[in-house]
Amino acid sequence: MKEFVISEVQAETAVLVGLITQTQDERKTQEYLDELEFLAHTAGAVTVKRFTQKVNDPNSVTYVGSGKLEEIRAYIEAEEEAEREIGMVIFDDELSAKQLRNIEKELKVKILDRTSLILDIFAMRAQTASAKTQVELAQYHYMLPRLQRLWTHLERQGGGSGSGGGKGSVGLRGPGETQLEMDRRIILNRMSLLKQRLADIERQKTTQRGNRGRMIRVALVGYTNVGKSTLMNLLAKSEVFAENKLFATLDTTVRKVIIDNLPFLLSDTVGFIRKLPTDLVDSFKSTLDEVREADLLLHVVDIAHPDFEDQIQVVEKTLADLGCSEKPQMIVFNKIDAYRWVGKDEDDLTPASKENISLDDLMKTWMARRHDGCLFISAREKTHIEELKKVLYDKVRELHVQKYPYNDFLFDKYEEGEL
């Protein structure tokens, strides 16, 4: 009898490349590469090496300098000789068609940039017709200016012009450009169809939102992977998918929540991220309409993340771009159970860094900074959740009375034993 051995599927290996520039120091570049590595992990790849280069501006032809590109190529070849094949090289910024073409020609492996990696994750995460349509539209937006790269096998091989066309051009004149224009037309037609489909879906969603009754709408917003879905499950007693990966939630989920005698709608939205392409934001406008329609924004922050203050700025900027910065907001610092700090010795006179600030000091700092207050919780450990519910109840009730003064949803509260 034959024995069948099922071998474990090996994850693709990835090399990351980032730049240290005048506007992005080495610490910031490493933070971005940490996030890029997390993105690669979410997509199913394992990072084996990082390359950085200090430059004034990205090289318009190859992103990094020729010397650094040669160094990356030598590393890939050495790994291949050692039978450790490199699956892809991922760049931390969006690459132009020319940069992609030149880098691929030099490295001879799959080349991705941050945008294409995010799009790949979005395509993997999309579940509903709306999300799938939005992802496809964003992919076409990304692909359209890069079509030339897809037809390099039909480009003219030699220089010169006229009927000669140069060495190697026989049989290659015309079809490349014809196919390019044909593909461009097909993609533009497809994009037009997808936009129409999204408009139809949006009309359905608008009708659904109109049928939700006279209830206050609260939207969970925040950076990706800060624990919004976990908090949603806790407040709504639902089973929204939650995972320690970026963009675990792509489709907006709306649940009815009742705290004491007050019902309201709570929505979990797609997380934001640094360097999120404009085309992607445009494609997901219908998903983000839940944020626009909300009466109250619950901004969830991962306080255990070393760069959480920058993440707050990214979210606030995205909300401003969506025209939502003036909406009532509450800030909720999540994951206090994972917060770590290093105490300083009494005789250490050096200035305290972020790593030396205790959670108590951080709480006092932020509570003083935000006059409207902020909350510190752990959704996973259910720490301070009752306090959050009380504050949320007061805020939603205040908004409810303002917006629906004659609504009969609110009913009298009775203490146990009064009836």
Side-chain angles (χ1 to χ4, degrees):
M1 186 175 177
K2 291 184 178 179
E3 290 186 8
F4 294 93
V5 179
I6 301 174
S7 59
E8 188 178 341
V9 177
Q10 293 292 319
E12 278 192 279
T13 53
V15 170
L16 309 183
V17 182
L19 293 180
I20 302 166
T21 64
Q22 294 173 325
T23 57
Q24 186 174 296
D25 60 20
E26 186 173 356
R27 183 188 67 83
K28 184 69 68 180
T29 298
Q30 290 301 330
E31 287 174 1
Y32 284 171
L33 288 178
D34 287 342
E35 190 169 85
L36 192 66
E37 182 173 342
F38 202 179
L39 284 166
H41 169 67
T42 302
V46 176
T47 300
V48 293
K49 181 76 172 175
R50 293 182 179 188
F51 288 93
T52 59
Q53 185 177 31
K54 195 170 185 177
V55 293
N56 291 328
D57 295 294
N59 188 301
S60 61
V61 179
T62 54
Y63 183 73
V64 293
S66 56
K68 182 59 68 172
L69 200 63
E70 173 59 32
E71 183 184 340
I72 297 170
R73 185 170 68 84
Y75 173 79
I76 292 171
E77 290 175 350
E79 288 296 291
E80 286 178 349
E81 287 178 8
E83 297 184 353
R84 294 188 296 267
E85 187 178 353
I86 300 299
M88 68 191 85
V89 179
I90 308 173
F91 290 78
D92 190 42
D93 292 293
E94 191 168 314
L95 301 174
S96 67
K98 182 169 69 173
Q99 288 172 328
L100 279 167
R101 190 164 58 248
N102 291 327
I103 294 169
E104 276 186 344
K105 190 183 296 184
E106 181 69 22
L107 301 184
K108 295 179 175 59
V109 294
K110 181 165 59 178
I111 304 299
L112 296 177
D113 57 17
R114 176 179 272 253
T115 303
S116 57
L117 183 59
I118 291 173
L119 284 171
D120 184 68
I121 295 168
F122 271 40
M124 178 176 63
R125 295 293 192 186
Q127 298 294 326
T128 64
S130 175
K132 289 176 181 176
T133 305
Q134 289 170 121
V135 170
E136 189 179 350
L137 181 60
Q139 287 174 324
Y140 283 133
H141 267 297
Y142 176 81
M143 191 188 300
L144 195 60
R146 295 167 177 81
L147 275 178
Q148 185 73 39
R149 168 174 163 257
L150 303 178
W151 288 100
T152 50
H153 63 291
L154 289 176
E155 69 184 359
R156 293 190 176 100
Q157 299 298 312
S161 59
S163 59
K167 182 181 177 182
S169 64
V170 176
L172 295 175
R173 287 184 291 269
E177 290 132 333
T178 305
Q179 186 65 55
L180 197 64
E181 290 307 313
M182 189 185 301
D183 282 358
R184 191 184 301 277
R185 187 171 64 252
I186 290 170
I187 286 178
L188 288 171
N189 289 339
R190 180 66 179 166
M191 288 172 68
S192 178
L193 180 66
L194 291 171
K195 287 176 182 177
Q196 183 59 49
R197 189 179 297 170
L198 279 176
D200 294 338
I201 293 171
E202 179 52 29
R203 276 194 292 271
Q204 293 173 4
K205 285 187 174 181
T206 302
T207 304
Q208 289 171 358
R209 281 194 287 264
N211 292 334
R212 286 176 186 165
R214 292 159 54 143
M215 286 187 279
I216 292 298
R217 297 171 188 173
V218 180
L220 294 169
V221 298
Y223 209 77
T224 182
N225 202 45
V226 294
K228 296 188 300 298
S229 297
T230 305
L231 184 58
M232 174 85 164
N233 289 335
L234 200 59
L235 293 174
K237 298 176 183 176
S238 59
E239 290 299 325
V240 176
F241 181 67
E243 187 181 14
N244 186 30
K245 287 186 178 180
L246 301 181
F247 302 114
T249 302
L250 197 57
D251 298 294
T252 300
T253 307
V254 182
R255 294 286 185 270
K256 183 179 178 180
V257 178
I258 301 175
I259 299 178
D260 287 340
N261 66 336
L262 178 63
F264 61 92
L265 295 172
L266 183 65
S267 58
D268 182 18
T269 59
V270 62
F272 304 143
I273 196 169
R274 286 176 286 207
K275 300 183 181 181
L276 190 64
T278 306
D279 289 341
L280 208 55
V281 175
D282 289 342
S283 298
F284 275 77
K285 271 183 177 173
S286 60
T287 295
L288 295 169
D289 273 344
E290 286 294 342
V291 178
R292 290 195 190 89
E293 295 286 334
D295 300 294
L296 173 65
L297 301 179
L298 215 59
H299 182 175
V300 185
V301 178
D302 177 4
I303 197 170
H305 195 283
D307 207 24
F308 75 88
E309 290 183 326
D310 279 357
Q311 293 185 351
I312 291 174
Q313 291 177 3
V314 170
V315 173
E316 289 178 344
K317 182 182 183 305
T318 308
L319 290 174
D321 292 342
L322 292 169
C324 300
S325 56
E326 298 302 315
K327 284 184 178 291
Q329 288 187 40
M330 287 173 54
I331 190 162
V332 178
F333 289 100
N334 190 25
K335 303 188 183 182
I336 59 172
D337 57 304
Y339 185 80
R340 300 289 181 268
W341 65 287
V342 179
K344 290 184 62 177
D345 294 332
E346 291 183 5
D347 56 350
D348 187 351
L349 302 179
T350 59
S353 64
K354 288 197 298 185
E355 292 76 20
N356 303 132
I357 301 174
S358 70
L359 182 59
D360 287 339
D361 289 338
L362 201 61
M363 289 168 68
K364 291 173 187 174
T365 303
W366 274 94
M367 284 177 172
R369 190 182 303 181
R370 291 186 65 92
H371 300 294
D372 56 345
C374 49
L375 294 165
F376 295 82
I377 68 164
S378 168
R380 190 178 67 175
E381 301 296 326
K382 300 180 181 178
T383 309
H384 300 160
I385 297 302
E386 290 306 314
E387 181 186 350
L388 169 63
K389 286 182 178 178
K390 184 181 182 306
V391 174
L392 191 56
Y393 174 88
D394 292 339
K395 190 66 179 175
V396 173
R397 185 184 176 93
E398 178 188 338
L399 292 168
H400 192 111
V401 172
Q402 290 173 4
K403 192 171 183 179
Y404 308 117
Y406 305 108
N407 194 323
D408 57 1
F409 262 125
L410 285 172
F411 48 86
D412 292 332
K413 263 178 77 172
Y414 293 97
E415 296 296 332
E416 192 174 344
E418 282 188 8
L419 296 176

